[in-house]
Amino acid sequence: YGGGVNKLLFSKNPQKPPIEIINVEKGLSSNTARVLLERRDGSIWIGTKYGLNKIQDGKLVNFNRQNLGLSDNSITCLFEDSNLNLWIGTENGGLNCLLTNGTLAKYETQKGLANNLIFSVFEDKNRVIWVGTKGGLSRIQGQNVQSIYAKDGLAFDAVHSLQEDKFGRLWMSCNAGVFWVKKNDLDLFFANKLQKINATLYQEEDG
């Protein structure tokens, strides 16, 4: 923690160091690197405490609030969706989406996001974007942002990671364990046809 990024090199040359260290001295925006993502174009993206970094063709480029317009420099998660848009979660500024045309869309609590501390971003089979935050679960469809909280039936407000199964359930990890809800119930809730959803929670005592 705080040492930058270690790149393991596969080389037949025993004289060549097997690990390359990418840190502030090499141009990284911070040695506190939190998340890595390889995009489909082969570029490597690194989210750090003080900015976003891209490595492609041996070149490292920094992005931040000043040159890209990020809502916050403290990056917590990265995700590339099926349309090749890059979703950038932050610690205090909500969610940014770098579109393929180069423009940046921003989603914060003022626009309906559950919380501005983002833990995870997930795209389901219907290409709907789900966002796990410190204070609830959010769904993004185009510019429409809707959120749901523990008071509405989630097992816990803080949602750390997300996954979908073949039975139409959305699984979430949280500080209380792991739980799932029916995506159909979420759709009904967001359509104001269901007042509260049911969540099935699995904890340590469940094995």
Side-chain angles (χ1 to χ4, degrees), residues 11 32 46 81 99 109 114 117 129 135 137 156 182 191:
S11 173
T32 304
I46 306 169
D81 66 23
L99 304 174
T109 53
L117 171 49
I129 297 296
L137 173 70
F156 205 81
K182 293 180 180 179

Side-chain angles (χ1 to χ4, degrees), residues 20-155:
E20 177 186 353
I21 299 175
I22 303 170
N23 54 21
V24 170
E25 293 179 357
K26 298 285 185 67
L28 198 66
S29 57
S30 168
N31 283 337
T32 304
R34 291 172 171 159
V35 58
L36 293 168
L37 173 71
E38 181 181 9
R39 301 190 68 182
R40 269 164 279 186
D41 64 2
S43 61
I44 300 296
W45 293 73
I46 306 169
T48 79
K49 187 176 181 180
Y50 297 120
L52 181 65
N53 306 262
K54 174 186 176 183
I55 299 176
Q56 191 168 32
D57 300 326
K59 297 180 180 179
L60 192 153
V61 181
N62 303 131
F63 300 102
N64 50 49
R65 297 181 67 172
Q66 288 69 38
N67 63 8
L68 185 60
L70 291 175
S71 59
D72 182 23
N73 284 335
S74 185
I75 310 301
T76 54
C77 69
L78 296 169
F79 179 80
E80 183 179 44
D81 66 23
S82 57
N83 291 319
L84 305 182
N85 301 310
L86 178 64
W87 295 84
I88 307 159
T90 72
E91 186 173 7
N92 299 298
L95 186 62
N96 302 263
C97 183
L98 182 59
L99 304 174
T100 54
N101 63 9
T103 60
L104 190 71
K106 300 179 184 180
Y107 302 86
E108 298 176 327
T109 53
Q110 295 91 331
K111 293 185 177 181
L113 203 64
N115 191 276
N116 282 334
L117 171 49
I118 310 301
F119 289 138
S120 59
V121 179
F122 175 75
E123 181 181 28
D124 69 18
K125 64 181 181 181
N126 298 319
R127 297 190 173 185
V128 175
I129 297 296
W130 298 89
V131 186
T133 81
K134 181 183 178 181
L137 173 70
S138 297
R139 184 181 74 171
I140 300 177
Q141 291 181 293
Q143 292 300 312
N144 186 26
V145 183
Q146 295 172 289
S147 297
I148 187 170
Y149 309 90
K151 66 180 179 62
D152 304 311
L154 290 184

